[in-house]
Amino acid sequence: MQLVRQAHPFEYRDHHGIDRLGQADLWRSRSGERAVLVLRGLPATDPEAHGERALRTLDTSLLPYLLRPDVRLNVFVLHQEASGTLKARALVLPLSA
């Protein structure tokens, strides 16, 4: 896997209509058939909803320019626990299947 984008800043509108900021890391296999998207900086409350909205934004603004249309995409959302440690949560989202 190759790191294609690191800490790429983006803005998305959440499910309540509030503009939010996030960061994305994008990894791609050498063949381009597989990719991993890591979303950071999203609110820990309702990570599925925030992850879906962030992915939809990136699907129209960033991903089409860096990935093949037939890519197999895995999406991870990193959120901070109350203790301050980062925890990864794997999400299966409609656009990542």
Side-chain angles (χ1 to χ4, degrees):
M1 290 280 208
Q2 298 173 305
L3 182 61
V4 179
R5 287 284 188 272
Q6 183 175 15
H8 177 80
F10 68 94
E11 184 177 13
Y12 71 99
R13 183 159 290 165
D14 73 7
H15 53 290
H16 296 295
I18 299 170
D19 291 336
R20 304 274 186 173
L21 297 175
Q23 292 182 340
D25 297 333
L26 182 62
W27 297 81
R28 181 178 58 204
S29 66
R30 290 199 186 275
S31 65
E33 294 176 355
R34 296 194 50 174
V36 174
L37 179 66
V38 180
L39 303 174
R40 295 184 282 140
L42 306 183
T45 59
D46 202 2
E48 286 86 11
H50 285 280
E52 277 186 39
R53 292 296 181 129
L55 180 59
R56 285 183 185 166
T57 297
L58 292 171
D59 189 49
T60 59
S61 64
L62 176 72
L63 299 179
Y65 303 103
L66 300 174
L67 301 177
R68 296 175 10 183
D70 62 339
V71 70
R72 184 170 177 194
L73 181 65
N74 293 68
V75 179
F76 294 90
V77 176
L78 288 180
H79 65 88
Q80 200 159 10
E81 294 277 309
S83 64
T85 59
L86 287 176
K87 183 171 186 169
R89 174 172 280 171
L91 298 177
V92 178
L93 300 173
L95 293 175
S96 67

